[in-house]
Amino acid sequence: SISQAAAEEKTDFKVCWSIYVGWMPWGYLEDSGIMDKWAEKYGIDVEIVQINDYVESINQYTAGEYDGCSMTNMDALSIPAGGGVDTTALIVGDYSNGNDAIILKDKSDLAEIEGQNVNLVELSVSHYLLARALESVDLSERDVTVVNTSDADMIAAYATDDVTAVVTWNPLVSEILTQSNANKVFDSAGIPGEIIDIMMVNTETLADNPAFGKALAGAWYEVMELMASGDEEALTAMAEASGTDLAGYKSQLDSTEMFYAPADAVAFTESGDLPKTMQFVAEFLFDKGILGEGAPSPEFVGVSFPDGSVYGDEANVKLRFDTTYMTMAADGAL
Amino acid sequence: MRLINRKPSRITAFALGAAPFVAVIVAYAVASHYRRLDNPADKLLPSLPDMASAFGRMAFTPDRRSGDLLLWMDTLDSLERLAAGMGISILLALSLGILIGFIPHVRASMAPFVATFSLIPPITVLPILFIIFGLGELSKVMLIVVGTAPVMIRSVAQAVMELPRELIIKAETLGASVWQMMMRVVLPQILPKLITAIRLGLVPAWIFLISAEAIASTSGLGYRIFLVRRYLAMDVILPYVIWITLLAFILDRLLLLASRKAFPWHHMQGESL
Amino acid sequence: MRLINRKPSRITAFALGAAPFVAVIVAYAVASHYRRLDNPADKLLPSLPDMASAFGRMAFTPDRRSGDLLLWMDTLDSLERLAAGMGISILLALSLGILIGFIPHVRASMAPFVATFSLIPPITVLPILFIIFGLGELSKVMLIVVGTAPVMIRSVAQAVMELPRELIIKAETLGASVWQMMMRVVLPQILPKLITAIRLGLVPAWIFLISAEAIASTSGLGYRIFLVRRYLAMDVILPYVIWITLLAFILDRLLLLASRKAFPWHHMQGESL
Amino acid sequence: MSAQPKVSVQNVAKIYAGTVVLERLDLDIAAGSLCTIVGASGCGKSTFLRMLLSQETPSRGRILIDGEPLPTEPTPDRGIVFQRYSVFPHLTVEENLILSAEFDAAPFSGKLRGAARTKAREEIAETLDRIGLSPARDRYPAQLSGGMQQRLAIAQALLKKPKILLLDEPFGALDPGIRADMQELLLELWRELSMTIFMVTHDIHEAFKLGTRVLVFDKIRHDPDAPDRWGATITYDLPLGRPGAQTIPDAKALFALKNTTRGDAPNA
Amino acid sequence: MSAQPKVSVQNVAKIYAGTVVLERLDLDIAAGSLCTIVGASGCGKSTFLRMLLSQETPSRGRILIDGEPLPTEPTPDRGIVFQRYSVFPHLTVEENLILSAEFDAAPFSGKLRGAARTKAREEIAETLDRIGLSPARDRYPAQLSGGMQQRLAIAQALLKKPKILLLDEPFGALDPGIRADMQELLLELWRELSMTIFMVTHDIHEAFKLGTRVLVFDKIRHDPDAPDRWGATITYDLPLGRPGAQTIPDAKALFALKNTTRGDAPNA
Ligand SMILES: Nc1ncnc2c1ncn2[C@@H]1O[C@H](COP(=O)(O)OP(=O)(O)OP(=O)(O)O)[C@@H](O)[C@H]1O
Ligand SMILES: Nc1ncnc2c1ncn2[C@@H]1O[C@H](COP(=O)(O)OP(=O)(O)OP(=O)(O)O)[C@@H](O)[C@H]1O
Ligand SMILES: [Mg+2]
Ligand SMILES: [Mg+2]
């Protein structure tokens, strides 16, 4: 159907996610019945759908086929918000703390990247990471050649002689690092809190249906508790769903700063660093021409924060960081 | 005696036919061996025993999480999608193909559109397909349809147009209506050509199936390959590819056999590759 | 008068042929209009003027970053890859196809292998292609080759086998060697069929080209589509798809024309769809 | 003959994209004639039959049957047998023969089942015997020899009891022994069913042996600068009466005469 | 004839996968004979020619030419003209005719250029005139009538000056006028080049009109339980001397005799 998910009171909701270390709980929620339990509690029905292709999942959400979707702060700004779909960050799940990395073949210093071909998924967080890393060594994107490479092909690509530098994320990073000639020269731990993985939902839908937000948050933080307690069964299920084993999954978690406790997520979202991060992101996107042809400046799309402040155009706020539901979880109010 | 007049004996022919397969396997084994000498943990070209054991695991060890035998579950799911997609394509090919080939007005109206449509690379319009058909089973099936139906429609229409005009005229003089001609003269004579079209269409159908499963699915042969590709688990991927090829081969032979059985009159007129 | 005996006039035929295209455009415009009523910034179904302006921008406004006219650069790069890939496929189809079709020993040895090979979905063995051909232009070109050559080889071989045996015998009685027969009897008679095979092969070739450009590249029509897909820029994607379809259509017609010009003797025997 | 002619061809011409193929055809054929047609290859014999069958329309003039204009498309009152492709390759001998009964009886499916089918099969049993194909009733045409196929084609056309039967080189692909048998069969059936038959043949002997009337088609006018300007017409129209023991004129002599004036007006 | 026969067929049989097609063929053909071959469709006439051409090998027996065993594959000393597909559709008339010269002169490219090509074209100019195709020299076969194509095919075969010419129903597709012309042409060339000709035809008249010797192929033994058990052989072998004014025996009578004993031993 072409029509957008109508913003009105309703009982059936659909949320999509794609395979990534910080989002595996969404799959577990659905499989384990925890989601159903919480949805029932609020008298609604929530379907959680796995979409393998990350970009396709965001596109589907943007097109109105889903009420929520897991994505990064950067993609939320560029795709749904940039496409006029008012979007709210419902659950800030984690930030990448080493999960995204720049890897050089046979070289161990970031500055040596100069002049090389760098394989990465163009316009993704990898691209952003590269831009931020280059800044840190006084280089710019003009000093390298970016080669758009699909994430699915990244490991095989690294195995070829043509490829000398890659920027990618886990589990691909750890796979590549098993090769003796691979050196991690920069990772997202160098820009902590800038690559954030969030469950984004449609603002209108959420406003009309608070039960939707409560059910998702309740279910999510139940699983977070399981994970924090090291529940083997849950972790193994997530590991296998992502195609690896428990040890592999745990090593991916090590480089992910999960907000197991809702209070931590609230604190992170309310901190003063977030607006700065979003400004970096918006400038990066504007520089790449992603915010749309009509965008006269990085401030074209407004981003609002929990304290009510807004970055960018106040008349065109399309991305909202909102801690309401996380706070409810933290307060045990769900 | 000239080479073209020399025919290999059955045994020679068999040996010659097997040779390239053996050569590929040997080349692989050697390449794999040397890569593993370099790096014993090499994942790109796993050893043959590794692949066999990975395949055995997928086929005979129940998955710990779901308790399923993954290979069979994947195969079943993929074949279902393939069957659904090809089923729809076949219906379209038969109905539209016969109408286009048989009725000049329909031909004038649909032939240019179908021809143009067949030139659109379906993967470029994936987002649109997913929006129109959702992300469920339907969109996977429809990707197969969009990728295979136009060409199949064209070959059926072409086959209808190639029916000797004499037969149509004869049917008219025997008092047949247009509908009767379609059912009794055109359709049955087209069926063997349809099977040929299906056999040709299955090649892209598999490709589109795998592409669709890689984008939105939680099971299927394409999904599995996509999933383990992030870990470069070639010990699973390669056996899966061989398995897919084998399935495709068996399907192809079954169709040929079915055609021979069902349309003996068609196969009395000489064979092909 | 029965429907099958009624032929549309030229004007009717044109109107009928245009109708589905017009219908699609109108349906799109309506759907797009209603979506944009909902959300004026909707990216999924941009308005026709938006698409036109995006296309104009790609074609005539130098890129801010590189200063290139992106559309033409992409088109050129893609066509180069397509030409290289199809070029290799054509050479393979001609050489292997003629050998397989003409020389029984080669047929016994290669036909089963080529048939099996043609069933492997190439995207599943990408990692192997990378190892063998690297990640540069070569691997993109080779993906096209792997995707198109087997089928083309088979159709050329089939065409060789379908040459009337009488002509080969006649050539033998005129004292031709095997090589001479290949050059003067088989090859020239196969060329028109080769063009048909190329026209058929171009459909998957475009698909593989676009898939290949999604793997690792910095330009090309497929690259651009995948890149802007990251922000759902359908206002660029849709005109690019139409552009690709148009290019494919023009190529197809040029090949048909070339065949008519170069092989008049072939086209004296009746036409097709 | 004072009765209304069965077929009346009035000043008919056929022009394909500027090429005049046939012109000035004027002809009345009495009911029950067996009209054989000979002429050089490409002179328009098949075109003439196609017009009689309503597969083509005359560019000029008109054709009447029983005084009525021809229908605009092939109808069951005119049967046809071609040189090739005359039987349905996907049906067995028996299925080929019951097909027209099926068309009549089952407007939707075009297929008879059960008792109705058994009955239809019984009805054609005699015909099968008559054409000597009873033992081959379950074979497909590809399993029949050329002569058997043509017998089947003729039987198939005749079962519909057409008033007019058109034969386009029906025996051209057969060898002499079988050909002679087929000629006998045709004459027998013609006498029995009192049809009007038009038969194109390449074989002058055959034309004179079978026909009650022989039509020779040829171009009589040539314009060396514009070879497409003039078409063929009927240069000889020879009424022979009963077919059988005519003396056969020499073929070459007949064709050599073509540049003389046209034969007698054919309103026999 | 006491001289060594040109072609000697000794107790030859041909069996296809259990089906006996031909058997007990015994035959000596003198140099310069024009041997016509008739017989029912499918009785093995083409198979016999194919064996003479080394396209097939006899299942039993042997064939000698000038006392030597046949080569194992077609060679330029034996020319062939088929009913169809006898000329190369992708070459013009002239190109078809110079092709064999090109094969001789250019082992690698098989193609002559420049002066050599001009010379080759001059050499065939007379032949072109002779077969009346000079005005059509640049046309493709598809632009020629059936008779023109067959003239071209014969000329193409004859330019190679074969000792033996095999013709498989060469005039079957032509109409009577053109056919008669072609027969004249063939006889002329045969007299001129003193070849040995084998010609299969469906037309008994033609067989008797042209042949110095007529071979009739037929099955003389039938096993109703195993129709594949016995093959056809030569039931009549009629030496006629000079071709021309023979009386033509009645075709049906000839075939009706087939169940009597075999004709005289054919070691003429
Ligand atoms: N549909 C058509 N369009 C144009 N020309 C045609 C068409 N059909 C037939 N002709 C031409 O009309 C002429 C007569 O054709 P027709 O088939 O009637 O000849 P014919 O006497 O039956 O010859 P044959 O003995 O070879 O069967 C030929 O020159 C042919 O090329
Ligand atoms: N390659 C083959 N394999 C099996 N059977 C064959 C083969 N070639 C010919 N035959 C059979 O041998 C028999 C003789 O065939 P052939 O073509 O020699 O007959 P013919 O006398 O030339 O007939 P026609 O007059 O129809 O040309 C036929 O029954 C045919 O089916
Ligand atoms: Mg005709
Ligand atoms: Mg034969």
Side-chain angles (χ1 to χ4, degrees):
Chain A
S1 67
I2 299 285
S3 74
Q4 303 210 353
E8 60 193 20
E9 209 164 322
K10 57 179 193 174
T11 56
D12 289 347
F13 300 90
K14 278 165 77 185
V15 170
C16 60
W17 66 285
S18 49
I19 296 179
Y20 176 69
V21 49
W23 294 328
M24 295 317 293
W26 290 114
Y28 182 71
L29 274 176
E30 176 81 353
D31 294 345
S32 64
I34 294 175
M35 187 67 246
D36 289 342
K37 191 179 79 186
W38 282 86
E40 225 165 274
K41 177 172 175 184
Y42 290 100
I44 57 172
D45 192 60
V46 179
E47 191 188 343
I48 298 184
V49 178
Q50 176 190 331
I51 298 177
N52 302 330
D53 189 280
Y54 169 60
V55 173
E56 199 51 50
S57 73
I58 305 176
N59 285 348
Q60 289 285 318
Y61 163 76
T62 308
E65 296 298 300
Y66 290 88
D67 303 297
C69 179
S70 59
M71 64 190 90
T72 65
N73 53 330
M74 175 179 131
D75 293 315
L77 182 57
S78 65
I79 307 177
V85 176
D86 198 329
T87 293
T88 297
L90 178 71
I91 298 168
V92 176
D94 69 90
Y95 65 80
S96 168
N97 194 17
N99 241 338
D100 299 79
I102 303 175
I103 299 170
L104 295 188
K105 199 182 266 177
D106 298 323
K107 304 226 165 68
S108 49
D109 183 14
L110 175 59
E112 290 176 282
I113 202 171
E114 191 171 354
Q116 298 202 32
N117 280 345
V118 183
N119 292 73
L120 49 75
V121 179
E122 235 180 289
L123 309 181
S124 72
V125 290
S126 299
H127 204 165
Y128 175 76
L129 179 74
L130 176 69
R132 298 281 285 139
L134 290 173
E135 270 172 36
S136 73
V137 287
D138 285 330
L139 294 172
S140 83
E141 220 189 295
R142 288 179 218 290
D143 300 314
V144 298
T145 306
V146 168
V147 179
N148 187 33
T149 305
S150 149
D151 52 329
D153 300 313
M154 199 62 81
I155 304 182
Y158 184 81
T160 68
D161 291 339
D162 303 332
V163 174
T164 54
V166 301
V167 186
T168 187
W169 52 77
N170 262 326
L172 313 177
V173 169
S174 33
E175 279 304 323
I176 293 174
L177 286 176
T178 61
Q179 319 253 357
S180 55
N181 60 6
N183 298 303
K184 180 159 77 175
V185 295
F186 189 87
D187 67 24
S188 49
I191 50 165
E194 290 193 26
I195 298 174
I196 314 167
D197 303 314
I198 308 169
M199 170 52 69
M200 295 286 179
V201 297
N202 186 294
T203 301
E204 283 177 61
T205 307
L206 184 63
D208 294 345
N209 304 279
F212 171 51
K214 289 177 189 168
L216 280 184
W220 174 262
Y221 285 109
E222 181 177 335
V223 175
M224 285 302 105
E225 245 170 69
L226 287 178
M227 289 178 76
S229 69
D231 184 300
E232 290 256 326
E233 185 248 295
L235 287 172
T236 307
M238 293 181 215
E240 287 181 352
S242 68
T244 183
D245 54 16
L246 186 56
Y249 186 60
K250 279 185 166 162
S251 84
Q252 291 175 37
L253 279 174
D254 287 343
S255 49
T256 310
E257 190 64 37
M258 293 294 298
F259 296 119
Y260 293 122
D264 296 346
V266 172
F268 175 83
T269 313
E270 289 176 346
S271 82
D273 291 336
L274 187 59
K276 270 184 247 158
T277 299
M278 289 316 292
Q279 184 180 344
F280 279 136
V281 170
E283 281 165 0
F284 170 80
L285 293 176
F286 177 73
D287 182 50
K288 298 280 173 285
I290 301 178
L291 284 184
E293 243 346 82
S297 76
E299 281 103 33
F300 174 65
V301 178
V303 184
S304 74
F305 299 96
D307 60 4
S309 66
V310 170
Y311 166 79
D313 186 351
E314 295 199 19
N316 189 30
V317 174
K318 292 293 178 194
L319 182 60
R320 302 165 198 272
F321 286 91
D322 181 350
T323 51
T324 313
Y325 294 86
M326 293 185 282
T327 308
M328 281 185 200
D331 297 346
L334 295 173
Chain B
M1 205 168 172
R2 287 184 187 88
L3 261 181
I4 55 163
N5 293 321
R6 246 186 263 159
K7 305 238 150 49
S9 69
R10 292 194 95 175
I11 298 168
T12 318
F14 180 81
L16 284 172
F21 292 96
V22 172
V24 165
I25 293 171
V26 168
Y28 179 87
V30 169
S32 156
H33 178 73
Y34 280 102
R35 270 192 90 92
R36 279 175 299 119
L37 273 190
D38 248 24
N39 169 12
D42 179 65
K43 289 182 141 185
L44 204 56
L45 301 183
S47 71
L48 298 177
D50 281 356
M51 286 200 277
S53 86
F55 189 72
R57 199 173 65 241
M58 302 303 287
F60 305 117
T61 313
D63 181 46
R64 265 197 302 155
R65 193 155 65 101
S66 58
D68 294 322
L69 295 173
L70 291 180
L71 176 75
W72 305 113
M73 195 185 73
D74 288 339
T75 305
L76 214 71
D77 287 351
S78 286
L79 286 182
E80 256 171 38
R81 289 170 191 141
L82 197 72
M86 286 308 279
I88 296 177
S89 284
I90 289 169
L91 286 182
L92 282 175
L94 270 185
S95 51
L96 274 182
I98 289 183
L99 287 175
I100 290 175
F102 202 45
I103 299 182
H105 278 79
V106 178
R107 177 154 66 246
S109 146
M110 296 300 296
F113 187 68
V114 171
T116 308
F117 198 84
S118 74
L119 293 173
I120 300 177
I123 39 170
T124 59
V125 288
L126 269 186
I128 299 187
L129 281 186
F130 285 129
I131 302 299
I132 300 180
F133 300 110
L135 267 163
E137 289 301 300
L138 186 60
S139 65
K140 284 160 225 145
V141 169
M142 288 316 289
L143 181 62
I144 298 177
V145 173
V146 169
T148 57
V151 177
M152 285 172 63
I153 292 172
R154 287 184 84 180
S155 20
V156 169
Q158 181 73 50
V160 173
M161 288 170 63
E162 280 168 7
L163 282 183
R165 194 74 204 160
E166 287 88 342
L167 289 181
I168 308 299
I169 292 164
K170 182 90 181 203
E172 288 184 289
T173 64
L174 296 181
S177 68
V178 170
W179 173 254
Q180 285 174 327
M181 281 190 265
M182 285 205 270
M183 297 313 287
R184 297 287 329 261
V185 178
V186 176
L187 178 66
Q189 290 196 71
I190 269 347
L191 288 178
K193 305 265 174 82
L194 178 73
I195 291 197
T196 310
I198 295 173
R199 290 174 60 202
L200 287 176
L202 271 170
V203 174
W206 276 103
I207 294 172
F208 290 119
L209 171 72
I210 289 166
S211 308
E213 287 182 339
I215 289 181
S217 183
T218 52
S219 68
L221 298 164
Y223 169 74
R224 195 70 49 198
I225 289 176
F226 156 83
L227 186 66
V228 302
R229 212 160 123 188
R230 326 148 129 265
Y231 306 96
L232 202 66
M234 295 303 284
D235 56 339
V236 174
I237 294 181
L238 289 180
Y240 258 68
V241 171
I242 295 171
W243 175 242
I244 290 173
T245 308
L246 187 71
L247 287 176
F249 179 79
I250 292 174
L251 264 182
D252 187 67
R253 289 294 118 170
L254 284 181
L255 282 169
L256 181 60
L257 214 78
S259 179
R260 289 230 177 91
K261 264 243 167 321
F263 314 114
W265 51 271
H266 179 74
H267 294 274
M268 286 168 191
Q269 293 149 17
E271 272 322 293
S272 62
L273 252 189
Chain C
M1 207 166 169
R2 287 184 186 88
L3 261 179
I4 56 164
N5 292 321
R6 245 185 264 158
K7 305 239 150 50
S9 70
R10 292 193 98 178
I11 298 168
T12 316
F14 179 81
L16 284 173
F21 293 95
V22 173
V24 165
I25 294 171
V26 168
Y28 179 88
V30 170
S32 158
H33 178 73
Y34 280 101
R35 269 191 88 91
R36 280 176 299 116
L37 275 190
D38 251 23
N39 169 13
D42 180 60
K43 288 183 147 186
L44 192 68
L45 302 183
S47 71
L48 299 176
D50 281 356
M51 286 200 276
S53 88
F55 189 72
R57 196 173 70 242
M58 301 303 286
F60 305 116
T61 313
D63 181 48
R64 262 198 304 159
R65 218 143 55 89
S66 60
D68 294 320
L69 293 175
L70 293 180
L71 177 75
W72 305 112
M73 195 183 72
D74 288 340
T75 305
L76 214 71
D77 288 351
S78 285
L79 286 182
E80 257 172 37
R81 291 175 187 135
L82 196 72
M86 285 308 279
I88 297 177
S89 283
I90 290 169
L91 287 182
L92 282 175
L94 269 185
S95 51
L96 274 182
I98 289 183
L99 288 174
I100 289 175
F102 202 45
I103 298 181
H105 278 79
V106 178
R107 177 153 67 246
S109 145
M110 296 299 297
F113 187 68
V114 171
T116 308
F117 198 84
S118 72
L119 294 173
I120 300 177
I123 39 170
T124 60
V125 289
L126 272 183
I128 305 228
L129 282 186
F130 292 164
I131 302 179
I132 305 179
F133 302 109
L135 203 68
E137 287 299 299
L138 186 59
S139 66
K140 290 174 204 102
V141 168
M142 288 316 289
L143 182 64
I144 298 177
V145 173
V146 169
T148 58
V151 176
M152 285 172 63
I153 293 173
R154 288 184 82 181
S155 25
V156 169
Q158 180 74 50
V160 174
M161 288 170 63
E162 279 168 8
L163 282 182
R165 194 73 204 163
E166 286 88 341
L167 290 180
I168 308 300
I169 293 165
K170 183 90 180 204
E172 288 184 291
T173 64
L174 296 181
S177 68
V178 170
W179 173 253
Q180 286 174 325
M181 282 190 265
M182 286 204 272
M183 298 311 289
R184 297 286 330 261
V185 179
V186 176
L187 179 65
Q189 291 198 69
I190 269 348
L191 287 179
K193 305 266 174 84
L194 178 73
I195 291 197
T196 310
I198 296 173
R199 290 174 62 203
L200 287 176
L202 272 171
V203 173
W206 276 103
I207 293 173
F208 288 115
L209 169 73
I210 288 164
S211 308
E213 289 180 338
I215 294 166
S217 51
T218 54
S219 68
L221 298 166
Y223 163 80
R224 193 72 50 199
I225 286 177
F226 277 92
L227 185 64
V228 303
R229 192 168 84 101
R230 272 216 67 101
Y231 52 102
L232 200 64
M234 297 302 287
D235 57 338
V236 175
I237 294 181
L238 290 179
Y240 258 66
V241 171
I242 296 170
W243 176 241
I244 289 174
T245 308
L246 187 71
L247 287 175
F249 180 79
I250 292 173
L251 265 181
D252 187 67
R253 290 294 119 168
L254 282 181
L255 283 168
L256 182 60
L257 214 78
S259 179
R260 289 231 178 90
K261 264 244 168 317
F263 315 114
W265 51 271
H266 179 74
H267 294 275
M268 286 167 192
Q269 292 149 18
E271 273 320 295
S272 62
L273 251 190
Chain D
M1 285 167 230
S2 58
Q4 188 183 51
K6 180 74 190 166
V7 176
S8 171
V9 177
Q10 305 182 347
N11 193 29
V12 160
K14 181 71 195 176
I15 300 162
Y16 283 120
T19 306
V20 179
V21 173
L22 289 171
E23 55 173 339
R24 294 185 298 129
L25 298 183
D26 260 305
L27 202 60
D28 281 348
I29 304 284
S33 305
L34 201 172
C35 207
T36 55
I37 302 172
V38 292
S41 183
C43 73
K45 305 181 297 296
S46 299
T47 304
F48 180 60
L49 284 202
R50 281 202 293 272
M51 288 193 291
L52 288 178
L53 190 61
S54 313
Q55 194 189 338
E56 304 268 3
T57 40
S59 309
R60 278 203 298 269
R62 56 181 197 156
I63 302 177
L64 305 177
I65 293 192
D66 295 328
E68 299 286 322
L70 272 183
T72 55
E73 59 184 347
T75 46
D77 59 338
R78 287 157 297 159
I80 178 91
V81 175
F82 297 104
Q83 178 170 6
R84 292 167 57 209
Y85 301 123
S86 229
V87 291
F88 297 100
H90 61 295
L91 300 178
T92 62
V93 168
E94 200 168 61
E95 287 168 342
N96 260 292
L97 291 178
I98 65 172
L99 187 64
S100 72
E102 293 187 298
F103 284 150
D104 277 351
F108 185 73
S109 70
K111 196 149 193 164
L112 292 177
R113 287 166 212 288
R117 188 180 170 84
T118 314
K119 187 156 158 287
R121 288 173 51 184
E122 278 160 14
E123 279 168 8
I124 55 120
E126 199 213 309
T127 308
L128 266 178
D129 263 347
R130 180 78 180 281
I131 58 173
L133 288 181
S134 290
R137 47 156 46 90
D138 290 324
R139 288 211 226 150
Y140 288 101
Q143 294 168 299
L144 303 180
S145 75
M148 289 159 97
Q149 286 190 31
Q150 285 308 77
R151 278 191 299 227
L152 176 59
I154 293 175
Q156 191 181 40
L158 290 181
L159 274 173
K160 199 74 199 172
K161 299 213 193 330
K163 295 278 167 319
I164 298 175
L165 182 63
L166 306 169
L167 304 163
D168 197 352
E169 303 184 32
F171 311 140
L174 308 182
D175 56 322
I178 298 169
R179 193 170 183 142
D181 292 344
M182 296 293 298
Q183 292 170 346
E184 297 293 341
L185 178 71
L186 181 71
L187 286 181
E188 241 172 77
L189 291 167
W190 170 68
R191 286 194 196 100
E192 205 169 293
L193 300 172
S194 64
M195 293 172 293
T196 309
I197 296 184
F198 290 84
M199 171 171 169
V200 171
T201 173
H202 259 148
D203 184 336
I204 310 258
H205 299 274
E206 186 173 80
F208 280 85
K209 186 168 153 205
L210 299 184
T212 59
R213 189 161 166 188
V214 175
L215 302 178
V216 181
F217 279 47
D218 209 348
K219 269 195 188 188
I220 49 168
R221 299 193 291 189
H222 278 275
D223 180 340
D225 299 327
D228 293 345
R229 181 139 171 238
W230 306 114
T233 189
I234 296 172
T235 52
Y236 285 89
D237 182 349
L238 312 168
L240 302 171
R242 293 275 90 204
Q246 286 82 25
T247 48
I248 299 170
D250 184 53
K252 286 202 85 176
L254 206 61
F255 282 99
L257 278 169
K258 65 188 168 190
N259 283 323
T260 61
T261 51
R262 199 170 161 225
D264 294 339
N267 299 8
Chain E
M1 286 169 226
S2 58
Q4 189 182 48
K6 181 72 190 169
V7 177
S8 170
V9 176
Q10 303 182 348
N11 193 29
V12 159
K14 181 70 195 175
I15 300 162
Y16 282 120
T19 306
V20 180
V21 172
L22 289 170
E23 57 173 338
R24 294 184 299 129
L25 297 182
D26 261 304
L27 201 61
D28 282 348
I29 304 284
S33 304
L34 200 171
C35 207
T36 54
I37 301 173
V38 291
S41 183
C43 73
K45 305 180 297 293
S46 298
T47 304
F48 180 62
L49 284 203
R50 281 202 294 273
M51 288 193 292
L52 288 178
L53 191 60
S54 313
Q55 192 190 340
E56 304 269 2
T57 40
S59 309
R60 280 202 296 269
R62 55 180 198 159
I63 301 177
L64 305 177
I65 293 192
D66 296 328
E68 299 286 324
L70 273 183
T72 54
E73 58 185 347
T75 46
D77 59 339
R78 287 156 297 159
I80 177 90
V81 175
F82 297 104
Q83 177 170 7
R84 293 166 57 207
Y85 302 123
S86 229
V87 291
F88 297 100
H90 61 296
L91 301 177
T92 61
V93 167
E94 199 167 63
E95 286 168 342
N96 260 292
L97 290 178
I98 66 172
L99 187 64
S100 73
E102 292 187 299
F103 284 150
D104 276 351
F108 184 73
S109 69
K111 194 147 194 165
L112 292 177
R113 286 166 212 285
R117 187 181 170 85
T118 314
K119 188 156 158 286
R121 288 173 51 182
E122 279 160 14
E123 279 168 6
I124 54 120
E126 199 213 309
T127 307
L128 264 179
D129 264 346
R130 181 76 180 283
I131 58 172
L133 289 181
S134 291
R137 48 155 47 88
D138 290 324
R139 289 211 226 150
Y140 289 101
Q143 294 168 299
L144 303 180
S145 74
M148 289 157 99
Q149 285 189 32
Q150 285 308 74
R151 279 192 299 231
L152 176 60
I154 293 174
Q156 192 182 39
L158 289 180
L159 275 173
K160 200 73 201 173
K161 300 215 193 328
K163 295 280 169 317
I164 297 174
L165 182 63
L166 306 170
L167 305 164
D168 196 353
E169 303 184 32
F171 309 139
L174 308 182
D175 56 323
I178 298 170
R179 194 170 183 143
D181 292 344
M182 295 294 297
Q183 291 170 348
E184 296 293 343
L185 178 72
L186 181 71
L187 285 180
E188 242 173 75
L189 292 166
W190 168 69
R191 288 196 195 98
E192 205 170 289
L193 301 171
S194 64
M195 294 172 292
T196 308
I197 294 184
F198 290 85
M199 171 171 168
V200 171
T201 174
H202 259 148
D203 183 337
I204 310 255
H205 300 275
E206 184 173 81
F208 280 85
K209 186 167 154 207
L210 299 183
T212 60
R213 188 162 168 189
V214 176
L215 302 177
V216 181
F217 279 48
D218 210 348
K219 268 196 189 188
I220 47 168
R221 298 193 290 188
H222 279 274
D223 180 340
D225 298 328
D228 292 346
R229 184 141 168 235
W230 306 113
T233 188
I234 296 172
T235 51
Y236 284 90
D237 182 349
L238 312 168
L240 303 170
R242 292 275 92 203
Q246 286 84 25
T247 47
I248 298 170
D250 183 54
K252 284 205 86 179
L254 205 63
F255 281 98
L257 277 169
K258 65 188 168 190
N259 283 323
T260 60
T261 51
R262 198 172 161 226
D264 294 339
N267 300 7

